[in-house]
Amino acid sequence: MDITLAALAGRWTPLVLREFLRRGQATYSELSAALPALSDKVLSDRLAQLTGAGVIERHRTPGWPPRVRYTLTPQGRALEPVVRSMWEWGTTQRQDTHGQSPDPSNTF
Amino acid sequence: MDITLAALAGRWTPLVLREFLRRGQATYSELSAALPALSDKVLSDRLAQLTGAGVIERHRTPGWPPRVRYTLTPQGRALEPVVRSMWEWGTTQRQDTHGQSPDPSNTF
DNA sequence: CTGTATCCTGAACGATACTG
DNA sequence: CAGTATCGTTCAGGATACAG
């Protein structure tokens, strides 16, 4: 649990992870564009966190300008059931607490 | 996801939650005894956090000495699949990373 | 383009003392 | 028994400037 929480915890982590689960891969600038409010430092932090957790992999392509591609690993894809179960619990929680109707699109 | 993460995040939260998933209920002093390194303040924080998240409920029984019983709610019990999926992902992760053999007791 | 270095602020944590 | 009050420390997050 601590390992999984460490992989998912932190501000922006769910949103960054969502981008990867949607795209399978992304570049630094793509993520920066998709999440404009996310500062450079924190984006670097999150990419390092997810890389260290084995969720994504860093691929440098040589040449200029430098281009780095982050790809979802098999272990990152294995996170999908975890994300879904968390999404489902949080959704019923919000309904119970605020009395809202369910949203059929489960894209966390 | 943010809702679920907010319910589970924070130091000691997984261990406190485990006590509730095991026992179904607990008193302040039981938790304090089960987790000696956990300070009063943080235990209060965690109980308030879990209560606010709808995971547990606070029941005051009148009289002296004051006795408070915290019980797992149905929504708290619904957290079990989430915990299990997180436990499973973290376990395979640790094996992959450190090359250890699996532990058959899945008590996170 | 893809980051790192630096500094600052606010929140979380932990220890201790005290209360209904 | 079951907490709250207070205080000091540590740490994550955010802004800005700079670098390979």
PDB file of all heavy atoms in Angstrom, chain D residues 2-13:
ATOM      1  P    DA D   2     -11.139   5.718  25.017  1.00  0.00           P
ATOM      2  OP1  DA D   2     -12.374   5.120  24.472  1.00  0.00           O
ATOM      3  OP2  DA D   2      -9.833   5.097  24.730  1.00  0.00           O
ATOM      4  O5'  DA D   2     -11.111   7.247  24.583  1.00  0.00           O
ATOM      5  C5'  DA D   2     -12.253   8.039  24.806  1.00  0.00           C
ATOM      6  C4'  DA D   2     -11.961   9.478  24.476  1.00  0.00           C
ATOM      7  O4'  DA D   2     -11.053  10.025  25.454  1.00  0.00           O
ATOM      8  C3'  DA D   2     -11.296   9.699  23.105  1.00  0.00           C
ATOM      9  O3'  DA D   2     -11.950  10.758  22.429  1.00  0.00           O
ATOM     10  C2'  DA D   2      -9.869  10.070  23.473  1.00  0.00           C
ATOM     11  C1'  DA D   2     -10.102  10.810  24.780  1.00  0.00           C
ATOM     12  N9   DA D   2      -8.919  10.953  25.624  1.00  0.00           N
ATOM     13  C8   DA D   2      -7.922  10.026  25.857  1.00  0.00           C
ATOM     14  N7   DA D   2      -6.985  10.457  26.662  1.00  0.00           N
ATOM     15  C5   DA D   2      -7.383  11.750  26.990  1.00  0.00           C
ATOM     16  C6   DA D   2      -6.810  12.744  27.805  1.00  0.00           C
ATOM     17  N6   DA D   2      -5.664  12.583  28.475  1.00  0.00           N
ATOM     18  N1   DA D   2      -7.465  13.921  27.917  1.00  0.00           N
ATOM     19  C2   DA D   2      -8.618  14.087  27.240  1.00  0.00           C
ATOM     20  N3   DA D   2      -9.254  13.216  26.435  1.00  0.00           N
ATOM     21  C4   DA D   2      -8.575  12.062  26.362  1.00  0.00           C
ATOM     22  P    DG D   3     -11.762  10.930  20.845  1.00  0.00           P
ATOM     23  OP1  DG D   3     -12.621  12.030  20.354  1.00  0.00           O
ATOM     24  OP2  DG D   3     -11.915   9.579  20.289  1.00  0.00           O
ATOM     25  O5'  DG D   3     -10.221  11.337  20.674  1.00  0.00           O
ATOM     26  C5'  DG D   3      -9.945  12.632  20.221  1.00  0.00           C
ATOM     27  C4'  DG D   3      -9.904  13.610  21.390  1.00  0.00           C
ATOM     28  O4'  DG D   3      -9.064  13.095  22.430  1.00  0.00           O
ATOM     29  C3'  DG D   3      -9.286  14.945  21.031  1.00  0.00           C
ATOM     30  O3'  DG D   3     -10.277  15.800  20.515  1.00  0.00           O
ATOM     31  C2'  DG D   3      -8.729  15.450  22.356  1.00  0.00           C
ATOM     32  C1'  DG D   3      -8.682  14.191  23.240  1.00  0.00           C
ATOM     33  N9   DG D   3      -7.341  13.941  23.774  1.00  0.00           N
ATOM     34  C8   DG D   3      -6.576  12.806  23.610  1.00  0.00           C
ATOM     35  N7   DG D   3      -5.433  12.847  24.238  1.00  0.00           N
ATOM     36  C5   DG D   3      -5.440  14.080  24.858  1.00  0.00           C
ATOM     37  C6   DG D   3      -4.466  14.684  25.694  1.00  0.00           C
ATOM     38  O6   DG D   3      -3.366  14.232  26.045  1.00  0.00           O
ATOM     39  N1   DG D   3      -4.866  15.957  26.109  1.00  0.00           N
ATOM     40  C2   DG D   3      -6.057  16.561  25.762  1.00  0.00           C
ATOM     41  N2   DG D   3      -6.263  17.784  26.254  1.00  0.00           N
ATOM     42  N3   DG D   3      -6.981  16.000  25.001  1.00  0.00           N
ATOM     43  C4   DG D   3      -6.614  14.762  24.580  1.00  0.00           C
ATOM     44  P    DT D   4      -9.813  16.908  19.484  1.00  0.00           P
ATOM     45  OP1  DT D   4     -11.027  17.394  18.791  1.00  0.00           O
ATOM     46  OP2  DT D   4      -8.716  16.330  18.722  1.00  0.00           O
ATOM     47  O5'  DT D   4      -9.227  18.096  20.376  1.00  0.00           O
ATOM     48  C5'  DT D   4     -10.090  18.819  21.246  1.00  0.00           C
ATOM     49  C4'  DT D   4      -9.273  19.884  21.975  1.00  0.00           C
ATOM     50  O4'  DT D   4      -8.201  19.239  22.704  1.00  0.00           O
ATOM     51  C3'  DT D   4      -8.601  20.905  21.041  1.00  0.00           C
ATOM     52  O3'  DT D   4      -8.701  22.186  21.657  1.00  0.00           O
ATOM     53  C2'  DT D   4      -7.156  20.416  20.986  1.00  0.00           C
ATOM     54  C1'  DT D   4      -6.974  19.835  22.366  1.00  0.00           C
ATOM     55  N1   DT D   4      -5.939  18.771  22.460  1.00  0.00           N
ATOM     56  C2   DT D   4      -4.850  18.972  23.267  1.00  0.00           C
ATOM     57  O2   DT D   4      -4.677  19.989  23.914  1.00  0.00           O
ATOM     58  N3   DT D   4      -3.958  17.924  23.291  1.00  0.00           N
ATOM     59  C4   DT D   4      -4.052  16.727  22.608  1.00  0.00           C
ATOM     60  O4   DT D   4      -3.196  15.863  22.712  1.00  0.00           O
ATOM     61  C5   DT D   4      -5.220  16.595  21.781  1.00  0.00           C
ATOM     62  C7   DT D   4      -5.423  15.349  21.007  1.00  0.00           C
ATOM     63  C6   DT D   4      -6.097  17.604  21.745  1.00  0.00           C
ATOM     64  P    DA D   5      -8.335  23.522  20.853  1.00  0.00           P
ATOM     65  OP1  DA D   5      -9.524  24.391  20.832  1.00  0.00           O
ATOM     66  OP2  DA D   5      -7.739  23.087  19.577  1.00  0.00           O
ATOM     67  O5'  DA D   5      -7.224  24.237  21.714  1.00  0.00           O
ATOM     68  C5'  DA D   5      -6.595  23.594  22.823  1.00  0.00           C
ATOM     69  C4'  DA D   5      -5.374  24.388  23.269  1.00  0.00           C
ATOM     70  O4'  DA D   5      -4.256  23.486  23.499  1.00  0.00           O
ATOM     71  C3'  DA D   5      -4.867  25.396  22.238  1.00  0.00           C
ATOM     72  O3'  DA D   5      -4.227  26.473  22.930  1.00  0.00           O
ATOM     73  C2'  DA D   5      -3.870  24.574  21.423  1.00  0.00           C
ATOM     74  C1'  DA D   5      -3.278  23.636  22.481  1.00  0.00           C
ATOM     75  N9   DA D   5      -2.955  22.304  21.967  1.00  0.00           N
ATOM     76  C8   DA D   5      -3.729  21.533  21.142  1.00  0.00           C
ATOM     77  N7   DA D   5      -3.196  20.366  20.851  1.00  0.00           N
ATOM     78  C5   DA D   5      -1.993  20.364  21.539  1.00  0.00           C
ATOM     79  C6   DA D   5      -0.964  19.407  21.641  1.00  0.00           C
ATOM     80  N6   DA D   5      -0.984  18.235  21.021  1.00  0.00           N
ATOM     81  N1   DA D   5       0.111  19.710  22.407  1.00  0.00           N
ATOM     82  C2   DA D   5       0.128  20.907  23.029  1.00  0.00           C
ATOM     83  N3   DA D   5      -0.791  21.892  23.007  1.00  0.00           N
ATOM     84  C4   DA D   5      -1.834  21.543  22.233  1.00  0.00           C
ATOM     85  P    DT D   6      -3.733  27.773  22.102  1.00  0.00           P
ATOM     86  OP1  DT D   6      -3.933  28.938  22.984  1.00  0.00           O
ATOM     87  OP2  DT D   6      -4.312  27.760  20.752  1.00  0.00           O
ATOM     88  O5'  DT D   6      -2.171  27.500  21.999  1.00  0.00           O
ATOM     89  C5'  DT D   6      -1.469  27.049  23.157  1.00  0.00           C
ATOM     90  C4'  DT D   6      -0.077  26.584  22.801  1.00  0.00           C
ATOM     91  O4'  DT D   6      -0.129  25.218  22.310  1.00  0.00           O
ATOM     92  C3'  DT D   6       0.622  27.398  21.697  1.00  0.00           C
ATOM     93  O3'  DT D   6       1.799  27.964  22.250  1.00  0.00           O
ATOM     94  C2'  DT D   6       0.940  26.369  20.615  1.00  0.00           C
ATOM     95  C1'  DT D   6       0.935  25.070  21.392  1.00  0.00           C
ATOM     96  N1   DT D   6       0.653  23.847  20.596  1.00  0.00           N
ATOM     97  C2   DT D   6       1.504  22.771  20.711  1.00  0.00           C
ATOM     98  O2   DT D   6       2.473  22.765  21.427  1.00  0.00           O
ATOM     99  N3   DT D   6       1.152  21.683  19.943  1.00  0.00           N
ATOM    100  C4   DT D   6       0.071  21.585  19.089  1.00  0.00           C
ATOM    101  O4   DT D   6      -0.141  20.558  18.451  1.00  0.00           O
ATOM    102  C5   DT D   6      -0.772  22.754  19.014  1.00  0.00           C
ATOM    103  C7   DT D   6      -1.970  22.737  18.123  1.00  0.00           C
ATOM    104  C6   DT D   6      -0.443  23.810  19.767  1.00  0.00           C
ATOM    105  P    DC D   7       2.599  29.119  21.405  1.00  0.00           P
ATOM    106  OP1  DC D   7       3.032  30.157  22.357  1.00  0.00           O
ATOM    107  OP2  DC D   7       1.854  29.493  20.185  1.00  0.00           O
ATOM    108  O5'  DC D   7       3.890  28.289  20.962  1.00  0.00           O
ATOM    109  C5'  DC D   7       4.543  27.451  21.912  1.00  0.00           C
ATOM    110  C4'  DC D   7       5.501  26.523  21.188  1.00  0.00           C
ATOM    111  O4'  DC D   7       4.762  25.418  20.614  1.00  0.00           O
ATOM    112  C3'  DC D   7       6.254  27.189  20.036  1.00  0.00           C
ATOM    113  O3'  DC D   7       7.658  27.018  20.201  1.00  0.00           O
ATOM    114  C2'  DC D   7       5.750  26.477  18.781  1.00  0.00           C
ATOM    115  C1'  DC D   7       5.292  25.135  19.341  1.00  0.00           C
ATOM    116  N1   DC D   7       4.234  24.481  18.522  1.00  0.00           N
ATOM    117  C2   DC D   7       4.342  23.116  18.202  1.00  0.00           C
ATOM    118  O2   DC D   7       5.308  22.489  18.610  1.00  0.00           O
ATOM    119  N3   DC D   7       3.368  22.540  17.457  1.00  0.00           N
ATOM    120  C4   DC D   7       2.330  23.260  17.034  1.00  0.00           C
ATOM    121  N4   DC D   7       1.404  22.642  16.311  1.00  0.00           N
ATOM    122  C5   DC D   7       2.204  24.644  17.345  1.00  0.00           C
ATOM    123  C6   DC D   7       3.176  25.211  18.088  1.00  0.00           C
ATOM    124  P    DG D   8       8.648  27.922  19.314  1.00  0.00           P
ATOM    125  OP1  DG D   8       9.507  28.692  20.222  1.00  0.00           O
ATOM    126  OP2  DG D   8       7.879  28.621  18.247  1.00  0.00           O
ATOM    127  O5'  DG D   8       9.533  26.785  18.623  1.00  0.00           O
ATOM    128  C5'  DG D   8       9.999  25.685  19.394  1.00  0.00           C
ATOM    129  C4'  DG D   8      10.397  24.543  18.476  1.00  0.00           C
ATOM    130  O4'  DG D   8       9.197  23.914  17.952  1.00  0.00           O
ATOM    131  C3'  DG D   8      11.237  24.963  17.269  1.00  0.00           C
ATOM    132  O3'  DG D   8      12.324  24.048  17.114  1.00  0.00           O
ATOM    133  C2'  DG D   8      10.257  24.902  16.100  1.00  0.00           C
ATOM    134  C1'  DG D   8       9.281  23.826  16.540  1.00  0.00           C
ATOM    135  N9   DG D   8       7.927  23.987  15.997  1.00  0.00           N
ATOM    136  C8   DG D   8       7.171  25.123  15.996  1.00  0.00           C
ATOM    137  N7   DG D   8       5.994  24.963  15.443  1.00  0.00           N
ATOM    138  C5   DG D   8       5.980  23.638  15.058  1.00  0.00           C
ATOM    139  C6   DG D   8       4.971  22.881  14.404  1.00  0.00           C
ATOM    140  O6   DG D   8       3.859  23.256  14.032  1.00  0.00           O
ATOM    141  N1   DG D   8       5.373  21.557  14.199  1.00  0.00           N
ATOM    142  C2   DG D   8       6.580  21.054  14.573  1.00  0.00           C
ATOM    143  N2   DG D   8       6.802  19.763  14.293  1.00  0.00           N
ATOM    144  N3   DG D   8       7.534  21.736  15.183  1.00  0.00           N
ATOM    145  C4   DG D   8       7.165  23.028  15.395  1.00  0.00           C
ATOM    146  P    DT D   9      13.334  24.256  15.898  1.00  0.00           P
ATOM    147  OP1  DT D   9      14.672  24.005  16.467  1.00  0.00           O
ATOM    148  OP2  DT D   9      13.034  25.548  15.226  1.00  0.00           O
ATOM    149  O5'  DT D   9      12.974  23.070  14.874  1.00  0.00           O
ATOM    150  C5'  DT D   9      12.837  21.743  15.355  1.00  0.00           C
ATOM    151  C4'  DT D   9      12.364  20.827  14.230  1.00  0.00           C
ATOM    152  O4'  DT D   9      10.977  21.138  13.925  1.00  0.00           O
ATOM    153  C3'  DT D   9      13.144  20.985  12.918  1.00  0.00           C
ATOM    154  O3'  DT D   9      13.542  19.696  12.469  1.00  0.00           O
ATOM    155  C2'  DT D   9      12.142  21.649  11.982  1.00  0.00           C
ATOM    156  C1'  DT D   9      10.811  21.159  12.520  1.00  0.00           C
ATOM    157  N1   DT D   9       9.636  22.021  12.219  1.00  0.00           N
ATOM    158  C2   DT D   9       8.546  21.470  11.582  1.00  0.00           C
ATOM    159  O2   DT D   9       8.484  20.305  11.232  1.00  0.00           O
ATOM    160  N3   DT D   9       7.514  22.339  11.347  1.00  0.00           N
ATOM    161  C4   DT D   9       7.463  23.689  11.693  1.00  0.00           C
ATOM    162  O4   DT D   9       6.473  24.371  11.433  1.00  0.00           O
ATOM    163  C5   DT D   9       8.652  24.198  12.349  1.00  0.00           C
ATOM    164  C7   DT D   9       8.703  25.637  12.751  1.00  0.00           C
ATOM    165  C6   DT D   9       9.663  23.353  12.585  1.00  0.00           C
ATOM    166  P    DT D  10      14.544  19.562  11.215  1.00  0.00           P
ATOM    167  OP1  DT D  10      15.783  18.966  11.732  1.00  0.00           O
ATOM    168  OP2  DT D  10      14.585  20.844  10.487  1.00  0.00           O
ATOM    169  O5'  DT D  10      13.802  18.498  10.275  1.00  0.00           O
ATOM    170  C5'  DT D  10      12.601  17.896  10.692  1.00  0.00           C
ATOM    171  C4'  DT D  10      11.664  17.712   9.502  1.00  0.00           C
ATOM    172  O4'  DT D  10      10.683  18.790   9.453  1.00  0.00           O
ATOM    173  C3'  DT D  10      12.367  17.727   8.133  1.00  0.00           C
ATOM    174  O3'  DT D  10      11.939  16.590   7.407  1.00  0.00           O
ATOM    175  C2'  DT D  10      11.887  19.028   7.489  1.00  0.00           C
ATOM    176  C1'  DT D  10      10.521  19.203   8.124  1.00  0.00           C
ATOM    177  N1   DT D  10      10.010  20.596   8.167  1.00  0.00           N
ATOM    178  C2   DT D  10       8.712  20.836   7.758  1.00  0.00           C
ATOM    179  O2   DT D  10       7.975  19.965   7.349  1.00  0.00           O
ATOM    180  N3   DT D  10       8.313  22.162   7.854  1.00  0.00           N
ATOM    181  C4   DT D  10       9.076  23.220   8.301  1.00  0.00           C
ATOM    182  O4   DT D  10       8.612  24.356   8.337  1.00  0.00           O
ATOM    183  C5   DT D  10      10.421  22.893   8.712  1.00  0.00           C
ATOM    184  C7   DT D  10      11.316  23.967   9.220  1.00  0.00           C
ATOM    185  C6   DT D  10      10.814  21.613   8.630  1.00  0.00           C
ATOM    186  P    DC D  11      12.583  16.173   5.985  1.00  0.00           P
ATOM    187  OP1  DC D  11      13.110  14.822   6.154  1.00  0.00           O
ATOM    188  OP2  DC D  11      13.468  17.275   5.516  1.00  0.00           O
ATOM    189  O5'  DC D  11      11.329  16.130   4.997  1.00  0.00           O
ATOM    190  C5'  DC D  11       9.999  16.209   5.531  1.00  0.00           C
ATOM    191  C4'  DC D  11       9.042  16.696   4.460  1.00  0.00           C
ATOM    192  O4'  DC D  11       8.669  18.067   4.729  1.00  0.00           O
ATOM    193  C3'  DC D  11       9.623  16.691   3.041  1.00  0.00           C
ATOM    194  O3'  DC D  11       8.622  16.282   2.137  1.00  0.00           O
ATOM    195  C2'  DC D  11      10.014  18.146   2.828  1.00  0.00           C
ATOM    196  C1'  DC D  11       8.871  18.853   3.572  1.00  0.00           C
ATOM    197  N1   DC D  11       9.159  20.249   3.996  1.00  0.00           N
ATOM    198  C2   DC D  11       8.132  21.194   3.961  1.00  0.00           C
ATOM    199  O2   DC D  11       7.012  20.858   3.589  1.00  0.00           O
ATOM    200  N3   DC D  11       8.403  22.460   4.348  1.00  0.00           N
ATOM    201  C4   DC D  11       9.636  22.785   4.755  1.00  0.00           C
ATOM    202  N4   DC D  11       9.847  24.046   5.128  1.00  0.00           N
ATOM    203  C5   DC D  11      10.690  21.829   4.785  1.00  0.00           C
ATOM    204  C6   DC D  11      10.420  20.579   4.395  1.00  0.00           C
ATOM    205  P    DA D  12       8.960  15.786   0.670  1.00  0.00           P
ATOM    206  OP1  DA D  12       8.960  14.320   0.692  1.00  0.00           O
ATOM    207  OP2  DA D  12      10.155  16.533   0.213  1.00  0.00           O
ATOM    208  O5'  DA D  12       7.714  16.271  -0.187  1.00  0.00           O
ATOM    209  C5'  DA D  12       6.405  16.116   0.342  1.00  0.00           C
ATOM    210  C4'  DA D  12       5.516  17.233  -0.161  1.00  0.00           C
ATOM    211  O4'  DA D  12       5.927  18.483   0.421  1.00  0.00           O
ATOM    212  C3'  DA D  12       5.558  17.430  -1.681  1.00  0.00           C
ATOM    213  O3'  DA D  12       4.232  17.592  -2.155  1.00  0.00           O
ATOM    214  C2'  DA D  12       6.403  18.679  -1.866  1.00  0.00           C
ATOM    215  C1'  DA D  12       6.113  19.454  -0.583  1.00  0.00           C
ATOM    216  N9   DA D  12       7.220  20.318  -0.154  1.00  0.00           N
ATOM    217  C8   DA D  12       8.521  19.959   0.034  1.00  0.00           C
ATOM    218  N7   DA D  12       9.285  20.944   0.431  1.00  0.00           N
ATOM    219  C5   DA D  12       8.428  22.023   0.518  1.00  0.00           C
ATOM    220  C6   DA D  12       8.629  23.369   0.891  1.00  0.00           C
ATOM    221  N6   DA D  12       9.813  23.870   1.257  1.00  0.00           N
ATOM    222  N1   DA D  12       7.558  24.197   0.866  1.00  0.00           N
ATOM    223  C2   DA D  12       6.374  23.695   0.502  1.00  0.00           C
ATOM    224  N3   DA D  12       6.057  22.443   0.134  1.00  0.00           N
ATOM    225  C4   DA D  12       7.148  21.654   0.169  1.00  0.00           C
ATOM    226  P    DG D  13       3.917  17.801  -3.681  1.00  0.00           P
ATOM    227  OP1  DG D  13       2.577  17.255  -3.957  1.00  0.00           O
ATOM    228  OP2  DG D  13       5.096  17.343  -4.426  1.00  0.00           O
ATOM    229  O5'  DG D  13       3.803  19.392  -3.798  1.00  0.00           O
ATOM    230  C5'  DG D  13       2.805  20.043  -3.020  1.00  0.00           C
ATOM    231  C4'  DG D  13       2.806  21.535  -3.308  1.00  0.00           C
ATOM    232  O4'  DG D  13       4.007  22.123  -2.757  1.00  0.00           O
ATOM    233  C3'  DG D  13       2.789  21.887  -4.788  1.00  0.00           C
ATOM    234  O3'  DG D  13       1.747  22.828  -4.974  1.00  0.00           O
ATOM    235  C2'  DG D  13       4.170  22.486  -5.065  1.00  0.00           C
ATOM    236  C1'  DG D  13       4.612  22.965  -3.704  1.00  0.00           C
ATOM    237  N9   DG D  13       6.039  22.858  -3.438  1.00  0.00           N
ATOM    238  C8   DG D  13       6.844  21.756  -3.595  1.00  0.00           C
ATOM    239  N7   DG D  13       8.083  21.967  -3.245  1.00  0.00           N
ATOM    240  C5   DG D  13       8.099  23.295  -2.827  1.00  0.00           C
ATOM    241  C6   DG D  13       9.160  24.079  -2.332  1.00  0.00           C
ATOM    242  O6   DG D  13      10.344  23.757  -2.158  1.00  0.00           O
ATOM    243  N1   DG D  13       8.738  25.372  -2.018  1.00  0.00           N
ATOM    244  C2   DG D  13       7.462  25.842  -2.163  1.00  0.00           C
ATOM    245  N2   DG D  13       7.245  27.102  -1.812  1.00  0.00           N
ATOM    246  N3   DG D  13       6.457  25.111  -2.619  1.00  0.00           N
ATOM    247  C4   DG D  13       6.847  23.847  -2.933  1.00  0.00           C
TER     248       DG D  13
END
